[in-house]
């Protein structure tokens, strides 16, 4: 395995590190008053959960590292509660919160993965709960996981990726050049063959004319 392949493998593995875990140093900065037990969201124990009234609320979390977020995962295991239907994700950058995603969640107890596409690096994530689904007055949430890559990982990834693309591009160009050369050689060969056919045809015609002339000459002499 090449070094670049090993580097890419390591970065892909690191990209699935949960940066919203209390074990790795993440913590809740602040939250809306009606949302209770918010620290449970950063706990790996699925039996713990946050609970809040079904009205707009906010949680601001300090991640364990400054990262470019690539995905957020949430899950609700509880039965006697409503679900988060719509939420907004923002990160702190340039002295203000900047939106990176608005997501409509399904009413399910399975994992919900929210893919994120952003170029912003931040260590602070803001979650705004916008709307809810269900017949209960309170909502719950058991799991929050935040995935991403650090600046160093992103730099290594981009360099390795660009180098890989460059090698792939060079290889592609080489193959195209070889095909074009092969095509040109083939066309040149066809031209030579056509020329030979024409020359052979001319020789046959000239030979036929010469034979005809000799035939006529002998005919007139005999006459």
């Amino acid at each position: 395995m090449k070094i670049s392949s090993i580097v890419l493998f390591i970065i892909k593995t690191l990209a699935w590190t949960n940066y919203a875990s209390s074990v790795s140093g993440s913590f809740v900065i602040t939250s809306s008053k009606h949302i209770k037990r918010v620290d449970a969201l950063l706990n790996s124990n699925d039996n713990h959960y946050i609970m809040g009234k079904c009205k707009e609320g906010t949680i601001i979390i300090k991640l364990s590292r400054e990262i470019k977020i690539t995905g957020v995962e949430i899950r609700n295991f509880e039965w006697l509660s409503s679900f988060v239907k719509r939420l907004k994700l923002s990160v702190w950058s340039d002295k203000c919160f900047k939106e990176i995603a608005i997501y409509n969640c399904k009413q399910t107890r399975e994992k919900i993965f929210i893919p994120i596409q952003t170029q912003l690096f931040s260590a602070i994530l803001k979650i705004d709960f916008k709307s809810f689904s269900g017949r209960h007055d309170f909502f719950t949430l058991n799991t929050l996981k935040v995935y991403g890559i650090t600046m160093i990982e992103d730099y290594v990834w981009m360099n390795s990726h660009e180098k890989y693309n460059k090698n792939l591009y060079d290889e592609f160009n080489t193959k195209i050049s070889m095909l074009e050369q092969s095509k040109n050689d083939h066309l040149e060969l066809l031209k030579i063959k056509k020329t030979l056919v024409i020359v052979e045809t001319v020789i046959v015609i000239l030979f036929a004319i010469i034979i005809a002339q000799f035939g006529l000459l002998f005919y007139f002499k005999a006459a």
Side-chain angles (χ1 to χ4, degrees), residues 104-163:
N104 294 317
C105 306
K106 294 181 180 180
Q107 186 170 326
T108 177
R109 289 180 176 81
E110 299 298 322
K111 293 179 181 178
I112 298 176
F113 182 77
I114 306 170
I116 306 294
Q117 290 186 344
T118 180
Q119 297 302 318
L120 299 175
F121 285 88
S122 179
I124 299 176
L125 173 65
K126 179 184 178 185
I127 306 172
D128 291 308
F129 302 108
K130 293 296 186 180
S131 61
F132 307 87
S133 60
R135 57 187 178 86
H136 299 281
D137 296 329
F138 289 85
F139 77 93
T140 56
L141 202 61
N142 297 74
T143 302
L144 170 70
K145 294 181 180 180
V146 179
Y147 306 110
I149 55 177
T150 64
M151 288 185 180
I152 295 176
E153 293 162 1
D154 184 66
Y155 176 78
V156 175
W157 166 264
M158 292 301 295
N159 281 354
S160 301
H161 198 254
E162 286 176 3
K163 187 179 293 185

Side-chain angles (χ1 to χ4, degrees), residues 54-94:
C54 290
K55 65 178 184 179
E56 290 193 9
T58 299
I59 297 177
I60 299 177
I61 297 170
K62 171 68 170 63
L63 303 175
S64 58
R65 296 284 297 276
E66 184 175 355
I67 60 169
K68 178 166 68 176
I69 298 175
T70 56
V72 173
E73 180 186 306
I74 60 173
R75 189 171 186 178
N76 180 27
F77 291 99
E78 306 306 313
W79 289 89
L80 300 176
S81 64
S82 293
F83 295 81
V84 175
K85 183 178 181 181
R86 184 178 176 85
L87 56 80
K88 182 175 79 171
L89 301 174
S90 308
V91 293
W92 182 261
S93 179
D94 294 331

Side-chain angles (χ1 to χ4, degrees), residues 180-217:
E180 288 179 347
Q181 184 63 39
S182 177
K183 181 181 178 182
N184 292 335
D185 292 343
H186 181 67
L187 291 174
E188 191 67 28
L189 184 61
L190 286 177
K191 288 180 181 179
I192 294 172
K193 285 184 177 180
K194 287 182 179 179
T195 304
L196 289 175
V197 170
I198 293 171
V199 171
E200 288 177 357
T201 304
V202 171
I203 291 173
V204 170
I205 293 172
L206 290 175
F207 187 71
I209 292 172
I210 292 171
I211 291 176
Q213 287 179 346
F214 275 108
L216 289 173
L217 182 62

